[in-house]
Amino acid sequence: MTCFTFVETFSLKVRKSNLSAFRNSFVHRFKVLPYKETCRNAFSSWRLEYGSQSNFSVPSTSLATEQHIVSSSSSALKEKLVEKGQKYKVKPIKKVLVANRGEIAVRIIRSCREMGIETVAIYSTADRNALHVALADETVCIGEPSSKKSYLDITSVLAAAEITGADAVHPGYGFLSENSVFSSSCEEMGVTFIGPSPFAIDKMGDKSTAKETMLNAGVPCVPGSNGILSDAEEAVRIAENIGYPVLLKATAGGGGRGIKLARNSEELRSLYQMCSAEAQAAFGNGKLYLEKFVEAPRHVEIQVFADKYGNAIHLGERDCSIQRRNQKLVEEAPCPVMTEELRAKMGEAAVNAAKAINYCGAGTVEFLLSAAGEFYFMEMNTRIQVEHPITEQITGIDIVQLQLQIAEGRPLPYRQSDINLKGHAIEVRVNCEEPKDNFRPVPGQVSSLFVPGGLGIRWDSHIYPGYTIAPNYDSMIGKLIVWGPTRDQAIRKMKRALNEMNIVGVPSTIPLHRAIFNNEKFIQGKEIYTNFIETEDILSQVVG
């Protein structure tokens, strides 16, 4: 393994070692210099200069001794591409820098290894002993524990790609995954960004612009303002026209933040300034828009895929209605109340949404689904989703590998008629939080860990016995996924897995999930809405 460590003076220590014993080899200082030509953004106008070593190169060795093998799913993709007999502009990816951490970094590295692609892991000083660092072929420490000084530092991430010779970057989810500046910076460097274009990211990143784009594409949207609100009085006028209750939303919001519910004009006026100030503080953008509040909706999203040649398909839906603070807790596929007719309509709307912005890669179009079967566009996530494994379970498609294939310039190997949904999959997000203490994050050391097994059970995680969970990042420590031939069998399997699961050293949301899966309404599946945790008083049923 080749390891790179950034030090405070921006010098670069290059060290070849295994994980247990480092041996210093040499130090090269580098500096960031601007190109002479004009570039589109500040971060795309730099290159690395390695002292006097113009032919600087770094040898790399694989962490694993066995040869890389191509998975059966990858082979199937290549066979289908050959069958098409068409010529495409394909640029094979040789080395991927994973611009993320935690379970998604581990997930990406595993798919790359199965495809014979080398990987580079970046990490902060807090993640020195992280699993993704141990699994990657090369590693680069890019800064301090703060996300702003490491995983969100575009210059450092791109520097890591440059010095390791990575020809592609996978952003995962969160951090820089939906940052158009980062995407365009990769483009300027000649590094493949495994995701959509900067244009598509910008179109869907601003919620108000996204809604306007979807309306023009004929995608059903929730009634509300046509664009950004000018002030509270405009919000009141629109609300009185479409009827209360309404939601104030930050146009740059995400992750369930920047949303306020108002049930009358007095509440709306008082919440307007508060919501705008919070949005400005959280996202650097205080602009708001307004939508009609859909009472007791389900949160249903469609997984879409598109290539560079105008082909687009969907891989079915995921029901993400079990939430707390507008953040998902449990996801399942397919949706328990979905019909073939409704799936076809929602799938067509999602594909139209992707085509409207010339989308390329994996994306997710999120909808609110009313009890009457009406659905409304909510947002489009231009990245891989946390909950992508349940779609993989019911389709048999490795979503990360398909992302890589599309990023190489290959056409989609599937038509819509090739997509068959088999069985039922459920995922629960496991966080190191104390549910009964207002979901307070409690980082610390995992002293012991027992993970359930058996047919149809999958655990995607980055923790291990002795691993110390850092307080600097998201509290999710893993995802427990099950598959069964039917929803009832999947629920039974999940209940068994949750009862076996044992994490010692830090509290977790496992007890909360046990309470959810023992709830009769959840088992029946017909009355699951985004307010399920509150209406069913699930927290009172949690047993530590």
Side-chain angles (χ1 to χ4, degrees):
M1 175 184 290
T2 304
C3 300
F4 301 86
T5 303
F6 286 91
V7 294
E8 290 182 3
T9 60
F10 245 131
S11 62
L12 178 69
K13 286 185 179 179
V14 183
R15 301 185 288 188
K16 292 163 58 179
S17 63
N18 56 36
L19 287 178
S20 59
F22 291 112
R23 179 170 58 84
N24 290 340
S25 84
F26 53 86
V27 175
H28 283 298
R29 291 185 179 276
F30 74 94
K31 53 186 176 180
V32 177
L33 297 177
Y35 276 128
K36 292 182 180 179
E37 56 265 31
T38 302
C39 296
R40 277 184 290 186
N41 59 70
F43 292 105
S44 64
S45 59
W46 63 271
R47 64 187 175 91
L48 292 175
E49 194 74 21
Y50 295 96
S52 60
Q53 301 290 330
S54 59
N55 295 319
F56 176 73
S57 64
V58 179
S60 83
T61 55
S62 174
L63 176 66
T65 55
E66 69 271 14
Q67 293 183 341
H68 291 307
I69 61 171
V70 179
S71 69
S72 59
S73 60
S74 178
S75 298
L77 288 181
K78 291 180 179 178
E79 287 173 9
K80 289 191 177 185
L81 293 175
V82 172
E83 289 173 7
K84 285 180 176 283
Q86 299 181 23
K87 293 182 179 180
Y88 299 97
K89 188 176 180 180
V90 176
K91 181 184 176 183
I93 293 172
K94 298 178 181 178
K95 185 186 290 187
V96 172
L97 182 139
V98 183
N100 217 297
R101 65 176 300 279
E103 70 85 16
I104 190 59
V106 172
R107 169 75 186 85
I108 294 165
I109 289 169
R110 285 171 171 163
S111 278
C112 287
R113 175 149 294 168
E114 290 175 9
M115 295 177 71
I117 297 173
E118 292 184 45
T119 56
V120 179
I122 59 171
Y123 65 98
S124 72
T125 53
D127 278 336
R128 186 175 288 107
N129 297 315
L131 184 58
H132 76 284
V133 176
L135 292 178
D137 297 297
E138 299 176 46
T139 67
V140 182
C141 181
I142 57 169
E144 300 173 24
S146 168
S147 295
K148 290 182 179 180
K149 296 181 179 180
S150 52
Y151 298 105
L152 289 174
D153 187 333
I154 293 177
T155 304
S156 292
V157 175
L158 294 179
E162 178 81 4
I163 63 175
T164 58
D167 56 352
V169 171
H170 197 308
Y173 53 72
F175 292 128
L176 297 171
S177 62
E178 293 178 286
N179 187 310
S180 62
V181 172
F182 181 56
S183 173
S184 61
S185 297
C186 290
E187 191 177 280
E188 292 283 346
M189 283 181 60
V191 173
T192 299
F193 179 78
I194 302 172
S197 67
F199 170 81
I201 293 174
D202 280 339
K203 274 289 186 182
M204 294 296 102
D206 183 275
K207 303 302 187 291
S208 176
T209 303
K211 182 177 179 180
E212 183 180 353
T213 304
M214 293 301 100
L215 284 170
N216 292 335
V219 178
C221 294
V222 180
S225 60
N226 293 322
I228 302 297
L229 295 167
S230 59
D231 53 32
E233 292 310 309
E234 183 187 7
V236 170
R237 287 195 300 272
I238 295 171
E240 289 177 349
N241 184 43
I242 64 176
Y244 289 95
V246 295
L247 287 175
L248 278 173
K249 290 186 172 184
T251 190
R257 295 176 295 172
I259 301 174
K260 297 294 182 184
L261 173 65
R263 295 189 177 276
N264 53 58
S265 59
E266 185 178 343
E267 281 189 6
L268 185 55
R269 286 190 177 94
S270 65
L271 288 172
Y272 188 91
Q273 293 302 326
M274 181 191 302
C275 190
S276 179
E278 289 180 1
Q280 182 64 41
F283 312 113
N285 184 341
K287 295 179 180 178
L288 308 175
Y289 67 103
L290 183 140
E291 284 184 346
K292 172 73 176 175
F293 177 64
V294 181
E295 297 275 8
R298 296 182 89 105
H299 182 149
V300 179
E301 61 188 30
I302 304 290
Q303 176 72 62
V304 295
F305 252 103
D307 62 24
K308 297 177 181 179
Y309 312 104
N311 305 304
I313 61 171
H314 70 85
L315 304 183
E317 78 282 355
R318 297 185 287 255
D319 190 320
C320 310
S321 301
I322 304 292
Q323 305 177 0
R324 56 107 169 127
R325 299 176 185 165
N326 296 310
Q327 293 186 320
K328 302 164 188 173
L329 291 171
V330 179
E331 302 99 356
E332 58 181 310
C335 170
V337 298
M338 187 60 64
T339 64
E340 289 297 332
E341 181 182 5
L342 182 57
R343 178 177 294 121
K345 289 180 179 178
M346 294 183 73
E348 181 181 13
V351 168
N352 288 341
K355 288 183 174 181
I357 56 171
N358 297 317
Y359 198 81
C360 182
T364 301
V365 184
E366 304 199 359
F367 296 99
L368 289 178
L369 178 62
S370 73
E374 298 170 325
F375 62 93
Y376 305 100
F377 171 81
M378 195 163 47
E379 64 180 359
M380 182 176 186
N381 292 313
T382 55
R383 53 170 169 78
I384 195 169
Q385 292 279 86
V386 175
E387 59 272 18
H388 75 273
I390 56 176
T391 297
E392 294 181 323
Q393 296 299 114
I394 65 170
T395 63
I397 296 173
D398 186 314
I399 287 177
V400 174
Q401 288 194 11
L402 188 52
Q403 279 187 296
L404 291 162
Q405 295 275 348
I406 298 301
E408 288 180 323
R410 303 181 190 276
L412 275 170
Y414 307 104
R415 299 172 181 169
Q416 192 60 58
S417 57
D418 296 328
I419 306 303
N420 296 306
L421 310 183
K422 298 178 181 179
H424 200 95
I426 306 175
E427 172 185 289
V428 299
R429 302 188 187 192
V430 180
N431 292 7
C432 57
E433 297 175 347
E434 182 53 72
K436 286 199 167 185
D437 190 11
N438 199 29
F439 292 96
R440 178 174 59 90
V442 186
Q445 187 176 72
V446 179
S447 57
S448 177
L449 173 67
F450 181 82
V451 178
L455 182 64
I457 294 180
R458 169 177 167 180
W459 170 245
D460 281 17
S461 178
H462 59 287
I463 67 170
Y464 54 84
Y467 175 72
T468 299
I469 300 165
N472 313 87
Y473 312 110
D474 187 84
S475 60
M476 192 178 77
I477 54 177
K479 304 178 304 195
L480 184 59
I481 305 117
V482 303
W483 179 91
T486 65
R487 185 174 187 269
D488 180 63
Q489 288 172 292
I491 288 175
R492 290 174 182 271
K493 195 178 293 277
M494 180 62 82
K495 290 173 74 171
R496 190 265 291 176
L498 287 169
N499 286 332
E500 289 183 11
M501 188 89 187
N502 190 29
I503 303 172
V504 180
V506 294
S508 78
T509 50
I510 292 292
L512 172 72
H513 291 304
R514 289 174 183 153
I516 292 171
F517 279 78
N518 283 325
N519 182 276
E520 193 59 35
K521 279 191 177 180
F522 176 80
I523 293 171
Q524 292 173 0
K526 301 298 181 183
E527 299 179 47
I528 301 175
Y529 307 113
T530 53
N531 58 357
F532 180 86
I533 296 294
E534 293 79 18
T535 57
E536 291 300 301
D537 196 18
I538 295 296
L539 287 175
S540 69
Q541 303 163 39
V542 173
V543 177

